[in-house]
Amino acid sequence: MKLYDYFRSSAAYRVRIALNLKGVVPERAFVHLRRNAQRSEDYLALNPQGLVPMLVADDGAVLTQSLAIIEYLDEAYPAPPLLPAAPTERARVRGIALEIACDIHPLNNLRVLQYLKNTLGVSEEQKDAWYKYWIDVGLEALETRLARDPATGRFCHGDAPTLADICLVPQLANARRMNIDVAPYPTLTRIEAAAIALPAFVDAAPAKQPDAE
Ligand SMILES: N[C@@H](CCC(=O)N[C@@H](CS)C(=O)NCC(=O)O)C(=O)O
């Protein structure tokens, strides 16, 4: 199994956490996003979307999209489970994960920011304001939802880490990297503190990766 990774990618960070929780150690390849390696001919031949992460499974299957990769890992390596057993609980966890992965993260992706700046000509300040705005809109809704829902426990769902926490931790790291104040999100930061006490989360952090700069 080979993971195409980049230390600062929050989508790849999700997959690294899942691999660590499962105790699976893949071969690694590093795709330097700042140098546009994701748009090289070789990489696009494997993944026409030009995004990381990508996982090439042992049978040669090329898997893309962090959530699909994580669900593959959960099915191939069932322990510990990353989704609860009951259908409504699974849907809740997926809903939280998708809130982050579909409604926050894509708005702040490198190619979107590059388009804003290089094609639409927005200033650095306007680009940063866009970044902060969409993170705050997303985190505010997630904070409200998790704070009032009794299904929230030590983690986003109950007392064990799930797909939801796997998405939350990289998104908060991303917000912090952009100097966004996370103090208005006490439930999210409480859950983050519980998660980053676990070696699987610690070892997946951007600064700990071999390609970290
Ligand atoms: N929905 C995708 C998002 C993947 C994604 O946006 N990856 C970013 C890094 S976090 C990327 O490769 N960006 C390269 C670019 O924008 O050119 C997933 O969950 O895997």
Side-chain angles (χ1 to χ4, degrees):
M1 182 185 296
K2 185 168 177 176
L3 175 67
Y4 288 75
D5 196 356
Y6 180 60
F7 75 106
R8 209 174 265 149
S9 157
S10 37
Y13 188 176
R14 296 173 197 149
V15 173
R16 295 196 299 263
I17 297 168
L19 284 161
N20 291 347
L21 285 167
K22 297 292 183 183
V24 176
V25 182
E27 198 186 326
R28 308 269 288 274
F30 300 104
V31 183
H32 202 299
L33 298 189
R34 290 277 163 197
R35 294 189 197 132
N36 285 330
Q38 73 277 26
R39 287 171 210 141
S40 69
E41 215 176 296
D42 287 355
Y43 192 75
L44 290 174
L46 283 167
N47 178 3
Q49 234 193 336
L51 298 172
V52 296
M54 173 173 73
L55 188 81
V56 180
D58 289 340
D59 65 359
V62 176
L63 308 179
T64 60
Q65 291 292 332
S66 59
L67 268 53
I69 295 171
I70 293 168
E71 290 219 24
Y72 155 72
L73 291 170
D74 206 31
E75 287 160 17
Y77 305 91
L82 302 178
L83 286 168
T88 50
E89 294 184 35
R90 291 167 82 78
R92 179 178 182 272
V93 168
R94 287 189 177 115
I96 296 165
L98 291 169
E99 234 180 277
I100 297 168
C102 295
D103 295 337
I104 303 179
H105 174 264
L107 289 159
N108 294 326
N109 200 0
L110 181 63
R111 61 184 181 168
V112 172
L113 302 177
Q114 285 173 340
Y115 184 79
L116 284 174
K117 200 140 181 255
N118 303 337
T119 307
L120 300 184
V122 309
S123 67
E124 194 66 26
E125 292 72 38
Q126 286 172 315
K127 177 176 74 72
D128 290 350
W130 163 284
Y131 201 114
K132 180 177 178 336
Y133 178 79
W134 290 114
I135 287 195
D136 277 333
V137 164
L139 294 185
E140 206 179 300
L142 196 55
E143 171 68 29
T144 305
R145 174 187 185 168
L146 292 185
R148 69 182 180 200
D149 188 339
T152 305
R154 186 168 160 71
F155 292 96
C156 290
H157 189 86
D159 294 327
T162 63
L163 181 63
D165 309 287
I166 287 174
C167 291
L168 177 65
V169 167
Q171 190 59 62
L172 285 173
N174 198 327
R176 283 210 173 81
R177 189 164 64 83
M178 293 305 290
N179 297 318
I180 293 170
D181 180 17
V182 293
Y185 314 119
T187 310
L188 305 185
T189 52
R190 170 185 66 69
I191 293 169
E192 178 195 37
I196 61 173
L198 303 176
F201 284 80
V202 174
D203 296 343
K208 290 229 163 183
Q209 305 315 303
D211 61 330
E213 291 168 351

